[in-house]
Amino acid sequence: MRCLGGVPYCSLVATLLCFSGIALFCGCGHQALTETERLIENYFARNLQDYITLAYIIQYFQYVIYGLASFFFLYCIVLLAEGFYTTSVAKQTFGEFRSTMCGRCLSSSFIVMTYVLAVLWLLVFAFSALPVYFFYNMDATCHTIDVLTETPASINQLCVDARQYGLLPWNAVPGKACGITLSTVCKTREFRMTYDLYIAAFAGAGITLLALLTYTVSTTYNFAVLRYLGRKGIGARC
């Protein structure tokens, strides 16, 4: 019971959230980028030169995903270790706990780093909504086409232009899909899987943001305990 009472539950919950969120974001995001390149290649561009830049950008983002997964795995482990260190378990195991200048500087550094990461990840969270918005519009257009199948003249005017979203240069051919062709694209396995993967990646980014906010609260609490209550023998529990 004494050990359980000293577990940093906030840091532990934040670590589990961070691991699950990063796994969703990186795993689903990586595969979604691959499927996006395949969709563009098969249905929106006929010439390799039209989407070669997009292919390089996708490859670059996939390398960034590898780095993010490694960084967050290590950083979450470090924050969890810092949470355990500042619990009452440390005091009970190693004797009377004393807050040192080094310990306070380390805790304050984690507060600043976690806060900066949370702000930066908020931008990532917003950015991850863009492909969801694109595929949502595409799916809504396809639904409209399915409703208006009895008037083929009007459905041919319903298009999704990848060039408008910056995915392809303006001279790309065809660059867009319209009418029955667009409806056929929306019924393919590639489209449905890519759409679902982007939604999962967006959810993973949100979970990771929640984890970083939880870390910010826990590290701030730990610093407060180190600064004001450490000399009284009270250990942090967050």
Side-chain angles (χ1 to χ4, degrees):
M1 291 300 296
R2 186 178 66 177
C3 292
L4 289 177
V7 173
Y9 290 106
C10 291
S11 297
L12 186 61
V13 169
T15 300
L16 296 176
L17 286 174
C18 188
F19 283 166
S20 59
I22 284 296
L24 268 178
F25 178 78
C26 293
C28 295
H30 183 278
Q31 187 60 32
L33 289 172
T34 302
E35 295 297 330
T36 300
E37 182 180 359
R38 187 173 296 128
L39 274 175
I40 294 296
E41 178 183 358
N42 292 337
Y43 301 106
F44 290 92
R46 298 171 184 169
N47 190 349
L48 176 63
Q49 297 301 320
D50 290 339
Y51 66 90
I52 189 65
T53 302
L54 177 65
Y56 284 132
I57 293 175
I58 287 176
Q59 187 178 26
Y60 170 77
F61 274 113
Q62 287 176 332
Y63 285 128
V64 171
I65 285 174
Y66 297 146
L68 282 175
S70 302
F71 171 78
F72 272 97
F73 176 79
L74 294 176
Y75 189 70
C76 290
I77 291 296
V78 170
L79 286 180
L80 182 61
E82 192 266 348
F84 270 105
Y85 176 76
T86 53
T87 57
S88 58
V89 173
K91 180 175 78 74
Q92 294 165 357
T93 303
F94 299 106
E96 187 66 22
F97 181 78
R98 294 287 180 178
S99 176
T100 64
M101 181 64 69
C102 180
R104 291 195 299 270
C105 289
L106 188 62
S107 294
S108 62
S109 298
F110 281 131
I111 293 173
V112 174
M113 290 179 60
T114 307
Y115 180 80
V116 171
L117 280 176
V119 173
L120 293 177
W121 196 260
L122 183 61
L123 300 178
V124 175
F125 178 65
F127 179 77
S128 64
L130 295 179
V132 177
Y133 174 74
F134 171 76
F135 278 90
Y136 172 79
N137 283 342
M138 191 170 175
D139 187 59
T141 304
C142 290
H143 178 70
T144 303
I145 292 174
D146 292 337
V147 172
L148 300 176
T149 50
E150 296 181 357
T151 55
S154 61
I155 65 175
N156 288 330
Q157 299 176 0
L158 297 175
C159 303
V160 170
D161 196 335
R163 298 169 297 187
Q164 292 181 340
Y165 295 89
L167 299 177
L168 294 172
W170 284 106
N171 58 353
V173 179
K176 62 181 180 179
C178 302
I180 299 300
T181 302
L182 178 60
S183 179
T184 303
V185 173
C186 291
K187 294 176 182 178
T188 60
R189 171 184 169 275
E190 291 88 350
F191 174 81
R192 287 298 169 187
M193 184 171 66
T194 306
Y195 191 14
D196 292 340
L197 286 171
Y198 275 123
I199 293 175
F202 177 69
I207 294 172
T208 305
L209 180 62
L210 178 62
L212 289 173
L213 294 176
T214 306
Y215 273 132
T216 303
V217 173
S218 65
T219 52
T220 303
Y221 176 81
N222 290 341
F223 175 77
V225 172
L226 283 174
R227 179 65 179 85
Y228 299 107
L229 305 177
R231 294 186 181 278
K232 298 180 181 180
I234 302 177
R237 294 180 182 275
C238 209

